């Protein structure tokens, strides 16, 4: 796919949005969801002249009839469709340049991703030194989890019952009594 040097940053943005959130994506096709995210993250959707509905309509116009994705060429056509609508006071060429500037070099953002809460309550609840009963057995002295050893009773083939305090002292007791 031959891409001119001035459209290169545009293609890079297209590729980044096309693979975002989809492990099976090849980077050559953009889904409707990814197209909407691109328009939202790059501020093509302004809520006044261009809305989410407009973006979806343009996507439906440029894609093939039975297709669910658009190619890079169709992506450029979609930007051509949206440019005059987004930048009403400008000529078609100037509007196209302006919309390219919005999209070029952009990456998908992670808005709304849950952050780790650091409060006194969370610290108190996750402090392993305060655990009691069977929960206490799952952690070592430093508070690190023991993994499988802390969750399951592992059988020790020593001949003694689990948790017997004087395990391994039989020989010394028998030898002491024989003298």
């Amino acid at each position: 796919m031959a891409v001119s040097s001035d459209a290169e940053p545009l293609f890079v943005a297209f590729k980044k949005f096309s693979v975002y959130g989809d492990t099976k994506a090849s980077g050559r096709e953009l889904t409707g969801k990814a197209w909407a995210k691109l328009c939202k993250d790059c501020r093509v959707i302004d809520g006044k002249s261009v809305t989410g509905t407009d973006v979806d309509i343009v996507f439906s116009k440029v894609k093939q009839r039975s297709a669910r994705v658009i190619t890079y060429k169709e992506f450029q056509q979609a930007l051509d469709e949206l440019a005059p609508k987004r930048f009403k006071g400008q000529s078609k060429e100037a509007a196209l340049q302006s919309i390219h500037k919005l999209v070029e070099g952009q990456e998908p953002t992670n808005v709304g991703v849950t952050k780790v809460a650091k409060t006194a309550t969370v610290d108190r609840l996750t402090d392993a030194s305060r655990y009691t009963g069977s929960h206490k057995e799952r952690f070592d002295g430093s508070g690190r989890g023991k993994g499988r050893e802390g969750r399951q009773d592992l059988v020790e083939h020593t001949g003694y019952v689990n948790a017997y305090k004087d395990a391994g002292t039989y020989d010394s007791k028998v030898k002491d009594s024989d003298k």
Side-chain angles (χ1 to χ4, degrees):
M1 191 182 288
V3 180
S4 63
S5 61
D6 62 320
E8 191 65 35
L10 192 63
F11 182 69
V12 170
F14 171 83
K15 207 167 175 77
K16 285 180 181 178
F17 277 94
S18 66
V19 297
Y20 180 76
D22 188 4
T23 56
K24 298 174 186 165
S26 64
R28 287 177 270 167
E29 297 173 328
L30 196 66
T31 63
K33 182 178 178 181
W35 163 249
K37 180 165 181 56
L38 180 141
C39 290
K40 183 179 173 199
D41 290 355
C42 297
R43 295 189 186 97
V44 173
I45 296 175
D46 62 355
K48 294 176 185 163
S49 57
V50 177
T51 62
T53 307
D54 296 325
V55 168
D56 292 337
I57 290 170
V58 168
F59 182 83
S60 296
K61 274 186 191 177
V62 298
K63 74 175 180 64
Q64 300 293 322
R65 268 235 192 265
S66 61
R68 304 179 95 195
V69 292
I70 58 173
T71 62
Y72 181 65
K73 189 174 181 181
E74 293 166 338
F75 166 72
Q76 289 178 317
Q77 290 174 351
L79 289 179
D80 289 346
E81 292 256 344
L82 280 178
K85 191 168 175 75
R86 173 68 164 86
F87 300 99
K88 285 185 178 167
Q90 300 178 2
S91 68
K92 188 168 174 95
E93 290 78 24
L96 190 59
Q97 287 296 328
S98 297
I99 205 162
H100 280 214
K101 283 186 178 134
L102 285 178
V103 176
E104 287 174 354
Q106 295 294 325
E107 294 182 358
T109 58
N110 291 329
V111 177
V113 175
T114 305
K115 294 184 177 43
V116 177
K118 273 296 196 184
T119 62
T121 306
V122 172
D123 288 341
R124 182 176 49 82
L125 292 172
T126 57
D127 184 8
S129 65
R130 296 177 148 198
Y131 291 168
T132 59
S134 63
H135 302 292
K136 189 174 190 172
E137 300 299 320
R138 296 180 52 217
F139 298 91
D140 61 11
S142 66
R144 290 186 52 95
K146 292 183 183 177
R148 183 175 173 217
E149 184 181 322
R151 292 189 305 271
Q152 296 176 349
D153 289 332
L154 301 177
V155 179
E156 299 171 6
H157 299 287
T158 59
Y160 291 95
V161 184
N162 267 354
Y164 181 63
K165 293 180 192 172
D166 297 323
T169 59
Y170 176 76
D171 291 335
S172 61
K173 288 181 181 178
V174 171
K175 288 179 185 176
D176 288 341
S177 64
D178 287 342
K179 291 182 183 179

